[in-house]
Amino acid sequence: MVSFKNPLIIALDVDTIAQAENLADKLGPYAGGFKVGMQLYNSVGPEAVRGLREKNVPVFVDLKLHDIPNTVAGAARVLTRHGASILNVHAAGGAGMMSAAATASRDEAARAGLKPPLVVAVTVLTSISQDVFNKEIGITGPIRDRVVTWALLAREAGLDGVVASPLEITPIREACGEDFVVITPGVRPAGAAQDDQKRTMTPREAVRLGATYLVVGRPVTAAPDPVKALRAILEEIDS
Ligand code: C5P
């Protein structure tokens, strides 16, 4: 795995390689790494990951795998081969599925002579509010309790960490310890648009609370000057 030079991972939620590479070339000197999610991956396929890896930047392949263990293990194996630095599965798939993904990824990395990617579990999406969680998804209790339960399950299943909202960093750290990776999307600089995110926090606050990596998309990629927006976030984190 190539190391992340800072905690900021930029989500390249675009349709084409040209758009992704244009952003990667501009933002590469400042970003910690890039994220290829379902929009770009489903549009261009593995080339999206390989193209970025050729630029020697770490890539978080955010496909949120959720299927039977054998299928998820197969996908984790393939994504490891493509050079993912981080890949993820849904914690709601259960311990067996999470463990199958982690084992397959590590075995494939060893077989191919690659550094194994971090395998992390998505807990509760940052776009889900407490009300939607209880009334539409039908899980009772506070989101925070479910996130901690799933984080502990992920750790027991051998995963490296979780994706969660910045609002849950503290209870995850308390339950899972300092070495557990916590990746937080739903990060919004003060005064920025919330878009469809509901459980948000500023980048500075998320780092202060102990996030390992922050995922930021539109506040940077949709800004009139993405480099300026990214540098402002880094300065805010350092201030
Ligand atoms: O544009 P924005 O900063 O909202 O992008 C956040 C990114 O993080 C998106 O690519 C989204 O898919 C991803 N993500 C998320 N919530 C999660 C997991 C991933 O918003 N729980």
Side-chain angles (χ1 to χ4, degrees):
M1 187 177 93
V2 192
S3 37
F4 289 78
K5 63 174 177 273
N6 64 53
L8 205 53
I9 301 178
I10 303 300
L12 298 174
D13 291 328
V14 292
D15 274 3
T16 67
I17 284 269
Q19 288 169 302
E21 293 204 338
N22 179 34
L23 282 166
D25 287 340
K26 276 192 209 151
L27 302 173
Y30 310 100
F34 291 101
K35 184 172 86 68
V36 173
M38 55 179 82
Q39 182 181 348
L40 185 58
Y41 197 90
N42 284 320
S43 179
V44 274
E47 197 44 50
V49 182
R50 285 198 294 259
L52 290 166
R53 291 292 294 107
E54 276 163 19
K55 295 180 193 294
N56 216 25
V57 289
V59 182
F60 172 13
V61 185
D62 175 24
L63 296 183
K64 301 185 177 68
L65 306 173
H66 191 173
D67 207 314
I68 59 171
N70 184 59
T71 303
V72 167
R77 198 160 43 237
V78 169
L79 297 178
T80 299
R81 226 159 40 221
H82 293 331
S85 302
I86 306 178
L87 61 89
N88 59 2
V89 300
H90 267 286
M97 189 204 79
M98 290 194 272
S99 156
T103 304
S105 173
R106 279 167 205 148
D107 288 352
E108 183 65 11
R111 200 196 55 75
L114 298 165
K115 195 153 181 217
L118 296 174
V119 180
V120 299
V122 177
T123 55
V124 179
L125 295 173
T126 44
S127 53
I128 303 289
S129 65
Q130 182 65 56
D131 203 43
V132 166
F133 187 67
N134 298 138
K135 291 192 184 141
E136 295 179 17
I137 300 179
I139 302 179
T140 52
I143 288 180
R144 152 188 288 242
D145 292 357
R146 173 54 46 185
V147 169
V148 171
T149 303
W150 274 340
L152 285 166
L153 191 70
R155 195 183 60 163
E156 275 163 35
L159 268 64
D160 300 291
V162 286
V163 182
S165 124
L167 305 182
E168 291 111 32
I169 297 168
T170 302
I172 294 170
R173 281 261 163 269
E174 280 167 10
C176 299
E178 289 306 309
D179 293 338
F180 202 59
V181 171
V182 182
I183 304 180
T184 58
V187 173
R188 288 292 179 268
Q194 296 290 301
D195 304 305
D196 51 353
Q197 298 285 9
K198 299 284 185 289
R199 301 184 350 268
T200 67
M201 200 177 271
T202 67
R204 181 160 181 262
E205 193 64 359
V207 168
R208 194 185 66 78
L209 290 173
T212 319
Y213 300 111
L214 311 181
V215 173
V216 181
R218 289 161 289 182
V220 169
T221 55
D225 183 343
V227 171
K228 194 170 158 204
L230 190 161
R231 293 186 69 179
I233 294 176
L234 288 175
E235 276 160 27
E236 190 206 309
I237 292 171
D238 285 342
S239 67

